């Protein structure tokens, strides 16, 4: 670790100057592009592409194939997220520590999406989805680290809301553009790839603190790999926050990533794509309200845990409704509850995570580990969920598991001691 001195760079200090509205707008725009590029394929394009290639006699075969491809991509994310964060912590480029990785990740993400649209076999689809998700991880590992780098603690709930709210908007906007414009798979992938790059540019124009070579922690492959482990015994609050995030994100992923299949085969809806759009719209409204309003409220009250716990419980309730009352009207109510809970969780839990980081010199790496808890459940849940659906011949068990995960996530967050 670098020895602290009077010349220690500002990048290692807790930020005190509030970020401007222009910075927040550029930050939110980048996340809008990211979520469109990641969630439109997960919710719509990738299932359609896999189904078109398989033409399965049994719909569960398509669900399982989707789950396997997502699961393999999730395994890569486990490596890419913290490794990218660790490398960005040590980057001495004149463009800053984070911006080169944000730009490089966006380019990899966009190119992989376009090439994914050209694939006509499951192996090719799997390879390029792995590359696309790797680009997503590279980009977002660096981008989330800018919250700890630049945003003071009493503004992090609100700023994190601008990470969360675009998730809902990006999902519905991407699906809406693809369906309303009746785009082909290739055109759909290309559209979200272009929007990703365009919406990221404003943030890349914002300044980023530069780390001088002599102020950088000495880097070796062994040291970087060794730093990827954080002992939960030595850093219990980090460990409990990480566990809570893993559980809640698994709960949310179990409840949402197979939603199109649930509408098609669980409820036998003839216009499943239109129904998905409606559910996503309801979800979007409540995510935005919760992320921005409750994120700011948590800043004002100086409290995080209470918000995260209630948010987790709301998601558990939504999943129970879907499990025991498989009806489209009930699904609309559940979408509202899920959006309210997840929007609050995304913004406030992100702020909570930045307050339990062990080392200011390794924020990118530590948040990269935290980000595993967001990306990997979303990638692996379709595989696990497909297995549950296949074994039980329906979706009840899947939604019950979602409820249990969300509830246990609330229990884990209760164990955090250093943050109110």
């Amino acid at each position: 670790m670098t020895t602290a001195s009077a010349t220690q760079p500002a990048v290692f200090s807790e930020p005190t100057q509030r970020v401007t509205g222009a910075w927040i707008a550029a930050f939110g725009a980048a996340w809008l592009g990211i979520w469109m590029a990641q969630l439109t394929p997960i919710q719509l394009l990738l299932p359609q592409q896999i189904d078109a290639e398989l033409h399965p006699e049994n719909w569960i075969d398509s669900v399982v194939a989707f789950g396997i491809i997502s699961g393999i991509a999730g395994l890569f994310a486990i490596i890419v997220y913290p490794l990218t964060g660790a490398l960005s912590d040590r980057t001495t480029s004149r463009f800053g520590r984070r911006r080169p990785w944000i730009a490089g990740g966006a380019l990899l993400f966009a190119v992989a999406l376009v090439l994914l649209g050209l694939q006509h076999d499951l192996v090719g689809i799997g390879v390029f989805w792995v590359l696309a998700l790797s680009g997503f991880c590279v980009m977002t590992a660096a981008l989330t680290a800018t919250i700890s780098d630049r945003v003071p603690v009493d503004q992090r709930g609100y700023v994190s809301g601008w990470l969360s709210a675009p998730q809902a908007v990006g999902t519905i906007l991407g699906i809406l553009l693809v369906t309303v414009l009746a785009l082909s798979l290739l055109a759909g992938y290309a559209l979200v790839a272009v929007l990703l790059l365009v919406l990221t540019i404003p943030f890349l124009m914002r300044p980023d603190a530069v780390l001088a070579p002599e102020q950088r922690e000495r880097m070796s492959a062994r040291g970087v790999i060794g730093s990827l482990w954080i002992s939960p015994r030595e850093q219990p609050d980090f460990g409990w926050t990480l566990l809570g995030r893993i559980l809640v994100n698994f709960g949310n992923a179990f409840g949402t990533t197979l939603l199109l299949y649930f509408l098609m085969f669980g409820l036998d809806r003839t216009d499943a794509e239109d129904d998905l759009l409606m559910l996503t719209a309801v979800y979007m409204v409540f995510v935005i309200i919760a992320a921005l309003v409750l994120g700011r409220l948590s800043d004002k009250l100086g409290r995080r845990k209470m918000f995260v716990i209630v948010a987790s419980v709301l998601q558990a309730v939504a999943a129970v409704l879907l499990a025991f009352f498989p009806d489209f009207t009930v699904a609309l109510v559940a979408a509202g509850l899920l959006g309210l809970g997840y929007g609050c969780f995304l913004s406030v839990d992100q702020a909570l995570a930045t307050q339990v980081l062990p080392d200011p010199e390794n924020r990118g790496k530590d948040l990269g580990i935290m980000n595993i808890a967001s990306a990997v459940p979303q990638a692996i849940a379709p595989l696990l969920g497909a297995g549950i659906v296949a074994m039980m011949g329906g979706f009840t068990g899947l939604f019950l598991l979602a409820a249990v995960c969300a509830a246990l996530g609330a229990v884990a967050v209760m164990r955090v001691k250093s943050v109110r």
Side-chain angles (χ1 to χ4, degrees):
M1 184 180 298
T2 318
T3 303
S5 69
T7 60
Q8 188 180 37
V11 289
F12 296 150
S13 304
E14 277 293 327
T16 57
Q17 183 176 354
R18 294 172 71 84
V19 292
T20 64
W23 191 95
I24 296 172
F27 180 79
W31 280 106
L32 177 60
I34 288 166
W35 293 128
M36 270 196 290
Q38 192 218 15
L39 296 176
T40 305
I42 288 176
Q43 293 286 353
L44 183 64
L45 296 175
L46 203 55
Q48 285 182 338
Q49 187 175 19
I50 291 170
D51 201 55
E53 297 306 319
L54 281 181
H55 298 293
E57 293 183 6
N58 187 337
W59 61 270
I60 292 179
D61 294 340
S62 183
V63 177
V64 170
F66 174 63
I68 291 172
I69 289 172
S70 297
I72 293 171
L75 295 177
F76 278 83
I78 292 174
I79 300 169
V80 175
Y81 250 140
L83 184 60
T84 297
L87 293 173
S88 74
D89 286 332
R90 295 162 173 80
T91 296
T92 56
S93 162
R94 64 188 179 91
F95 298 106
R97 291 198 298 172
R98 313 300 183 193
R99 282 196 298 179
W101 295 94
I102 295 171
L107 189 61
L108 173 61
F109 194 3
V111 171
L113 284 172
V114 174
L115 295 176
L116 176 60
L118 295 171
Q119 303 309 303
H120 295 287
D121 63 83
L122 291 183
V123 173
I125 292 170
V127 168
F128 285 99
W129 180 242
V130 165
L131 289 173
L133 192 66
S134 296
F136 165 84
C137 293
V138 170
M139 185 181 182
T140 57
L143 192 58
T144 51
T146 63
I147 299 177
S148 292
D149 290 345
R150 298 295 305 277
V151 183
V153 169
D154 65 357
Q155 203 181 10
R156 286 181 188 171
Y158 179 65
V159 170
S160 295
W162 288 99
L163 178 159
S164 314
Q167 184 181 78
V169 179
T171 304
I172 193 168
L173 185 57
I175 293 173
L176 189 63
L177 287 170
V178 171
T179 54
V180 170
L181 298 177
L183 298 179
S184 66
L185 281 170
L186 176 58
Y189 281 120
L191 176 63
V192 294
V194 170
L195 290 173
L196 166 69
L197 296 176
V198 170
L199 290 169
T200 301
I201 290 172
F203 192 80
L204 292 174
M205 304 301 290
R206 312 299 300 178
D208 186 14
V210 175
L211 183 66
E214 64 272 14
Q215 296 167 321
R216 180 181 66 181
E217 181 180 349
R218 186 173 177 272
M219 184 165 57
S220 66
R222 183 175 182 179
V224 170
I225 294 172
S227 73
L228 301 183
W229 167 252
I230 295 177
S231 171
R233 183 183 296 274
E234 296 176 7
Q235 302 290 339
D237 283 354
F238 184 92
W240 286 118
T241 303
L242 179 65
L243 178 61
R245 180 176 282 202
I246 290 171
L247 289 167
V248 173
N249 277 289
F250 260 117
N252 183 268
F254 283 137
T256 60
T257 54
L258 298 180
L259 193 55
L260 180 61
Y261 293 110
F262 171 65
L263 293 169
M264 292 169 64
F265 306 114
L267 299 183
D268 294 320
R269 301 290 292 185
T270 54
D271 297 317
E273 290 181 7
D274 291 339
D275 292 338
L276 177 63
L277 199 59
M278 187 180 300
L279 289 177
T280 306
V282 173
Y283 176 80
M284 176 196 75
V285 170
F286 283 93
V287 166
I288 293 170
I289 293 171
L292 299 181
V293 175
L294 298 180
R296 173 165 277 181
L297 182 60
S298 78
D299 287 337
K300 288 182 179 293
L301 297 178
R303 301 182 72 90
R304 309 295 189 198
K305 287 169 54 178
M306 173 183 68
F307 287 89
V308 174
I309 290 166
V310 172
S312 304
V313 171
L314 282 175
Q315 292 176 81
V317 171
V320 169
L321 287 175
L322 289 171
F324 291 111
F325 305 98
D327 174 80
F328 185 69
T329 302
V330 174
L332 287 169
V333 174
L337 289 174
L338 192 65
L340 188 62
Y342 199 53
C344 178
F345 179 83
L346 283 171
S347 58
V348 183
D349 185 71
Q350 182 65 38
L352 172 65
T354 65
Q355 292 177 241
V356 297
L357 301 180
D359 184 359
E361 295 188 29
N362 291 290
R363 292 168 179 152
K365 180 264 294 179
D366 295 340
L367 282 172
I369 295 172
M370 279 288 182
N371 286 337
I372 291 174
S374 300
V376 172
Q378 196 171 65
I380 296 178
L383 175 59
L384 300 178
I388 294 168
V389 171
M391 286 189 296
M392 301 188 68
F395 292 86
T396 300
L398 178 67
F399 293 132
L400 286 177
L401 182 59
V404 170
C405 287
L408 289 176
V411 174
V413 173
M414 290 179 186
R415 302 297 299 273
V416 174
K417 302 299 183 185
S418 64
V419 181
R420 293 175 64 204

